[in-house]
Amino acid sequence: MTGAGASHGGTLIAVIRNLYSKASRVLGSPWFRVAGTLVGAAVLFHSVNLSKAISSFAHADIRWGMAAIGLTCLAVAASVLEWGVLVRTLKPATATSQHGLFAWSRLGSQYLQSLFFTQVLPAGVGGDAVRTVEMGKQVGHCRVLATLAGSRMAGMLGMTMWGLAAAVLLREWLGNGILAGIAVMAGVIVLIWTGALSADHLAPHRL
């Protein structure tokens, strides 16, 4: 009876492994990615009122439109640079060429893919999940999550600095209290960001 149970358990494990192997091949195939991209694009276009969008473009000023496109491209390039600087400090966990893994073209491609999934999937975390899964295979998922957290904190620091600049310009209307509060918040964010980036040096690993 024990031998029959062990044989049944081994067969079940073999079936599960076989299904997992087939599912991994299907999910990792280029055709599945193309199909997923098409489905995501269909969902994105379905959520947008195309008629109103086209009519609004017809009355839009081409100069403002080109300026918006230019600022968007600049923001995307800055985001790629911001994340890439953090990622390029990591070392591959596997025997992979570090130059090819951290090439700016590849980092830019992964960021654009994550940007697409951020627009399609709810909650705005789909892009971070894509970058964590793709890059985590080579450098470790926890390290990629750390770079994403550092990138988010850098963005938050940038927004705080813009708020601080606005508070300085409008200090007569806002008052010195709000200006001081924003300055303190900016200082706290700087301390948290620098502490997170230098955590390996401040607190060595003990595991």
Side-chain angles (χ1 to χ4, degrees):
M1 185 71 179
T2 304
S7 177
H8 180 71
T11 303
L12 181 60
I13 293 175
V15 170
I16 294 175
R17 288 180 177 177
N18 187 24
L19 291 176
Y20 177 77
S21 177
K22 291 182 179 180
S24 299
R25 287 197 298 269
V26 171
L27 295 176
S29 65
W31 293 108
F32 183 83
R33 295 190 177 189
V34 171
T37 303
L38 293 177
V39 171
V43 172
L44 184 62
F45 283 117
H46 181 71
S47 60
V48 176
N49 192 331
L50 294 179
S51 61
K52 289 186 178 180
I54 294 174
S55 62
S56 63
F57 277 121
H59 301 286
D61 191 341
I62 186 65
R63 293 171 297 179
W64 285 109
M66 296 301 296
I69 293 175
L71 289 176
T72 302
C73 294
L74 182 62
V76 171
S79 298
V80 173
L81 179 63
E82 175 187 86
W83 179 59
V85 168
L86 297 175
V87 171
R88 288 166 71 92
T89 61
L90 305 177
K91 294 182 179 180
T94 59
T96 307
S97 174
Q98 187 170 358
H99 177 73
L101 178 63
F102 297 145
W104 286 108
S105 58
R106 179 169 182 176
L107 295 177
S109 175
Q110 288 192 355
Y111 182 84
L112 291 177
Q113 293 177 38
S114 68
L115 188 63
F116 171 77
F117 283 101
T118 299
Q119 302 300 322
V120 173
L121 298 179
V125 297
D128 292 342
V130 170
R131 280 187 283 175
T132 301
V133 171
E134 291 295 328
M135 188 61 69
K137 297 176 182 178
Q138 284 79 25
V139 299
H141 296 90
C142 293
R143 293 178 178 179
V144 178
L145 288 173
T147 62
L148 293 175
S151 179
R152 295 295 187 188
M153 285 189 289
M156 183 171 60
L157 177 61
M159 289 187 291
T160 304
M161 290 303 177
W162 279 109
L164 180 60
V168 171
L169 295 176
L170 301 175
R171 62 182 181 276
E172 295 182 357
W173 182 62
L174 296 176
N176 294 327
I178 295 180
L179 177 61
I182 296 177
V184 170
M185 183 176 66
V188 171
I189 294 175
V190 169
L191 290 177
I192 294 175
W193 190 41
T194 54
L197 293 178
S198 58
D200 289 341
H201 302 284
L202 297 177
H205 295 288
R206 299 183 181 274
L207 296 179

